[in-house]
């Protein structure tokens, strides 16, 4: 600085990036909630803040996550988008979050990228797979209740089908939230059934996205006594 009062020098320190500089603009990949098997992709944005071409590799550390392309080159001052894809079919049970899900190694630096996803899984729970009707009078119509539970963390959906002509179930379609129960009514019409013990190893079929089960049934059919005078 020059003035009529004299001259003064001021020192300036500056750091110049002459090589490539890695900047990862995506800190976390949030794939959200999966309610069924499938894949979902997000962009992983990488920027080169340096003055030379940036070269590197991106490697996934999670079995349910992959990055494409795994190798990249980025011109100075530019950004590129890598494709990160989550596979719901490979996700473990429960919410998943990995702080170092993707490792990026380049000639301009290293970085870690977090990833999170949750594959909800319903789970069918009937409590028991056998219905014992006890003693029934021939020709009578009786009802029993079947409780369908969901012990998973996803919505349970499916149907119940009777495998016997004298057994009906309502409702036939079920939808059960996690941790809840759905009550179904099983109606048995014993008209035309023979007297004695009746055992059906396959009476009801429950088929859902959280499992499949077959229920057996047992009943003692008692025909009315005929009195001849």
């Amino acid at each position: 600085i020059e003035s009529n009062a004299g001259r003064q020098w001021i020192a300036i320190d500056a750091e110049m990036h002459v090589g490539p500089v890695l900047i990862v603009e995506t800190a976390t990949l949030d794939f959200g909630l999966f309610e069924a098997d499938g894949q979902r992709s997000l962009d992983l944005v990488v920027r080169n803040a340096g003055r030379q071409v940036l070269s590197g590799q991106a490697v996934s550390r999670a079995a349910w996550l992959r990055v494409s392309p795994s190798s990249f080159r980025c011109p100075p001052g530019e950004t590129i988008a890598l494709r990160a894809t989550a596979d719901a079919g490979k996700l473990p049970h429960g919410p998943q979050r990995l702080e170092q899900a993707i490792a990026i190694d380049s000639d301009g630096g290293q970085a870690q990228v977090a990833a999170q996803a949750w594959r909800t899984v319903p789970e069918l729970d009937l409590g028991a797979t056998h219905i014992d009707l006890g003693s029934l009078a021939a020709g009578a119509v009786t009802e029993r209740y079947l409780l369908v539970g969901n012990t998973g963390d996803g919505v349970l959906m499916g149907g119940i089908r009777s495998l016997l002509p004298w057994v009906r179930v309502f409702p036939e379609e079920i939808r059960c939230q996690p941790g809840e129960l759905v009550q179904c009514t099983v109606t048995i019409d014993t008209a035309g059934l023979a007297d004695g013990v009746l055992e059906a190893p396959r009476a009801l079929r429950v088929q859902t996205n959280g499992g499949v089960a077959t229920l057996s049934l047992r009943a003692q059919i008692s025909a009315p006594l005929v009195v001849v005078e």
Side-chain angles (χ1 to χ4, degrees), residues 17-18 29 43 69 98 108 138 140 142 148 153 165 167 172-173 201 210 218:
H17 292 296
V18 295
L29 296 165
D43 285 339
L98 297 177
T142 187
V148 179
D153 54 17
V167 176
E172 293 183 340
E173 300 295 327
R218 184 184 187 279

Side-chain angles (χ1 to χ4, degrees), residues 17 20 32 54-55 61 70 73 77-78 83 92 97-98 107 118 127-128 166 170 211-212 223 227 229:
H17 292 296
L54 175 72
S55 300
R61 293 176 174 172
S70 58
R73 289 174 61 84
E78 300 291 331
R83 202 65 171 164
R97 179 177 174 87
L98 297 177
D107 52 6
W118 188 356
W166 44 274
F170 179 84
V212 178
V227 179
E229 296 182 354

Side-chain angles (χ1 to χ4, degrees), residues 27-211:
T28 302
L29 296 165
D30 187 356
F31 293 95
L33 196 69
F34 290 86
E35 294 185 351
D37 288 345
Q39 296 183 349
R40 192 173 298 164
S41 297
L42 296 173
D43 285 339
L44 173 56
V45 180
V46 174
R47 178 165 60 91
N48 181 6
R51 296 188 175 183
Q52 295 183 6
V53 174
L54 175 72
S55 300
Q57 291 184 331
V59 179
S60 170
R61 293 176 174 172
W64 50 270
L65 183 64
R66 69 175 187 273
V67 184
S68 179
S70 58
S71 300
F72 62 87
R73 289 174 61 84
C74 183
E78 300 291 331
T79 60
I80 59 171
L82 307 178
R83 202 65 171 164
T85 302
D87 188 345
K90 297 180 180 180
L91 277 167
H93 183 72
Q96 302 296 312
R97 179 177 174 87
L98 297 177
E99 297 298 333
Q100 299 178 352
I102 296 176
I104 301 177
D105 186 19
S106 73
D107 52 6
Q110 291 76 38
Q112 308 285 342
V113 178
Q116 59 188 32
W118 188 356
R119 166 67 167 99
T120 58
V121 180
E123 186 173 345
L124 174 66
D125 182 15
L126 295 176
T129 56
H130 178 71
I131 301 175
D132 193 342
L133 300 173
S135 181
L136 300 177
V141 177
T142 187
E143 292 182 348
R144 293 291 188 272
Y145 295 114
L146 173 65
L147 295 178
V148 179
N150 179 9
T151 56
D153 54 17
V155 178
L156 181 73
M157 295 179 291
I160 305 177
R161 181 168 58 96
S162 171
L163 304 178
L164 301 173
W166 44 274
V167 176
R168 300 192 308 273
V169 60
F170 179 84
E172 293 183 340
E173 300 295 327
I174 56 174
R175 182 182 178 89
C176 185
Q177 297 295 327
E180 295 187 359
L181 295 171
V182 173
Q183 180 175 283
C184 300
T185 302
V186 180
T187 303
I188 301 95
D189 187 353
T190 61
L193 297 181
D195 188 20
V197 176
L198 178 62
E199 294 189 7
R202 294 170 55 86
L204 295 173
R205 178 77 166 174
V206 184
Q207 189 161 358
T208 71
N209 59 344

